[in-house]
Amino acid sequence: MLELPATPIGVVLFAHGSGSGRFSPRNNYVAAQLRAAGVATLLLDLLTPQEDALQQNRFDIALLSRRLHAAATWLGTEPLSAPLPLGLFGASTGAAAALRLAADSGSGVAAVVSRGGRPDLAGAALAQVDAPTLLIVGGEDGVVIDLNRQALAALRCEKELVVVPGAGHLFEEEGKLEQVAALACAWFVRHFDPV
């Protein structure tokens, strides 16, 4: 689902997490806020329904990265999106796939945001990421906070970790997803702005 505001300043490709897809209400909310801020969005399923039925596919970061790369390549060929800076928004295991793509020197990724992500699963690729990267994690998401801190230490690019107080893994608590959207919008707008 590619949606563009009237005069987009960039495009964000969403990398969904395990067991999620293009209809994720959380990612659709963030995408709507991005479009309101002038950013085009592409939401798609990285796995077919049959593939998603197998738990191990949801953690196959190499497979998810290849699918994400194909989507980014497609965006680069579409006349409406090709001239736009590319951002990646990853959730859960999708964050690792997004960071693996951003580590590819030819990817042209301008910025990355991870929401409740598992950036640690990107492994050695973290040190190769050049794109400014924002890691957002819920304050009640115990182990995932530690995994994000480890990933932050491995990143060599412009980076930031924001822990949202009182938020769980899915940011379902009142007002928490709104905080995520505001943080993501600010990050992408700042790094897409040519000024």
Side-chain angles (χ1 to χ4, degrees), residues 39-87:
V39 177
T41 58
L42 176 62
L43 292 98
L44 74 162
D45 295 332
L46 295 177
L47 298 172
T48 67
Q50 295 80 10
E51 290 169 334
D52 191 52
L54 298 172
Q55 181 75 14
Q56 66 265 28
N57 287 335
R58 299 175 181 183
F59 288 86
D60 187 340
I61 306 305
L63 172 64
L64 298 175
S65 297
R66 286 193 302 274
R67 301 280 171 83
L68 201 59
H69 185 275
T73 300
W74 178 81
L75 280 171
T77 64
E78 281 298 300
L80 292 173
S81 57
L84 301 173
L86 175 64

Side-chain angles (χ1 to χ4, degrees), residues 46 59 61 63 68 75 92 126 128 140 144 148 165 168 170 177:
L46 295 177
F59 288 86
I61 306 305
L63 172 64
L68 201 59
L75 280 171
S92 190
L126 288 169
Q128 306 304 316
E140 305 301 315
V144 175
N148 274 260
L170 297 178
L177 191 59

